[in-house]
Amino acid sequence: MSPSLIAGFALGFSLIMAIGAQNAFVLRQGLKRQHVFWICLTCATSDAVLIAAGVTGFGTLAMAWPWFEQVMRYGGAVFLIVYGARNLRSGWTGGAALTSAQAQTGGEPALWPALATVLALTWLNPHVYLDTVVLLGSVSAQYPSQLVFGIGAALASFTFFFSLGYGARALAPVFARPRAWQVLDIGIGLTMWAIALGLIWI
C-alpha cells in the first residue's frame, strides 16, 4: 500500500477524532437514528472537498485573505453559542428518551433542517479550514503523491463519520433513559460553548 495513502489516512483520522461540534451532532443523530446516512455522507463529502482544496494549493490562497479567517471565526462562534444554548435548554428541561419504536421507525423530522445544521457546523468552523485545507495541504507537499495523500485523508473522513453515525446505535439501550439524554445534551451544549469561547479568545 502506498506510503502517501497510509500517511494521509492516519493524519486525517487523527485530526477528526476529537469530539467537536460536528462530531457531537453526528453522534446525536446516530443515537436517534435520524437521517444517519445523509448526515455522515454530508460530513465526509464536505471534508473531501476541503481536503481536495488543500492538496491542490488553496491553503496558501486562503492564508492570503486574513479577513476570511476573522469572518469565519466570529460567525462560527455565534452559531455555536446559539446551538449550544438549544442543547443546554433541552438538557435542563429533560423529558427525552429513545424508545425502541423511535429507534426503529417513525417520528423522523425533515431532512433539510438536519442537513442545514450539519453544513453550518462544518463550514462555519474555522478549525476545519485550518485542519483540512492548511495543515493537510501543507503536509501533503512532503509526500511523493499529494493526490494519493489527499485520497487517504478523505477515506479517513468517510471511515470515521460512518463508523460514528452507525456505531452510535450500540449505545441505544443506554439512551432509553431520559437522564442519559439530559447528560448528553448538557455535554454537547457545554462543548459547543467551549469551542465558541476558544474561537473568540484565540
Side-chain angles (χ1 to χ4, degrees), residues 11-189:
L11 181 57
F13 203 88
S14 65
L15 288 175
I16 58 176
M17 278 189 65
I19 292 297
Q22 185 189 50
N23 295 352
F25 184 79
V26 173
L27 176 63
R28 197 175 199 283
Q29 293 299 113
L31 285 167
K32 298 177 77 172
R33 302 189 186 186
Q34 293 178 350
H35 310 302
V36 179
F37 175 81
W38 294 111
I39 294 295
C40 294
L41 182 64
T42 300
C43 289
T45 303
S46 295
D47 266 12
V49 170
L50 291 165
I51 290 165
V55 299
T56 54
F58 184 76
T60 55
L61 183 61
M63 292 175 70
W65 297 341
W67 57 266
F68 180 76
E69 190 272 339
Q70 295 288 326
V71 170
M72 296 306 298
R73 183 151 60 95
Y74 290 110
V78 170
F79 179 81
L80 289 172
I81 288 170
V82 173
Y83 188 81
R86 267 183 44 189
N87 280 275
L88 287 171
R89 182 176 180 274
S90 177
W92 179 261
T93 55
L98 185 68
T99 66
S100 58
Q102 287 174 323
Q104 294 171 9
T105 57
E108 271 198 330
L111 171 63
W112 295 114
L115 288 181
T117 299
V118 79
L119 284 170
L121 289 171
T122 301
W123 291 90
L124 289 179
N125 181 4
H127 289 304
V128 170
Y129 296 90
L130 293 174
D131 288 346
T132 56
V133 179
V134 179
L135 180 57
L136 283 172
S138 61
V139 172
S140 69
Q142 304 172 21
Y143 288 87
S145 175
Q146 289 180 267
L147 175 61
V148 174
F149 182 93
I151 291 172
L155 284 173
S157 290
F158 277 88
T159 301
F160 176 82
F161 285 116
F162 277 92
S163 297
L164 179 63
Y166 286 100
R169 296 183 177 187
L171 298 174
V174 175
F175 286 89
R177 299 192 296 271
R179 179 66 66 186
W181 274 107
Q182 284 185 278
V183 171
L184 178 67
D185 280 330
I186 291 172
I188 290 175

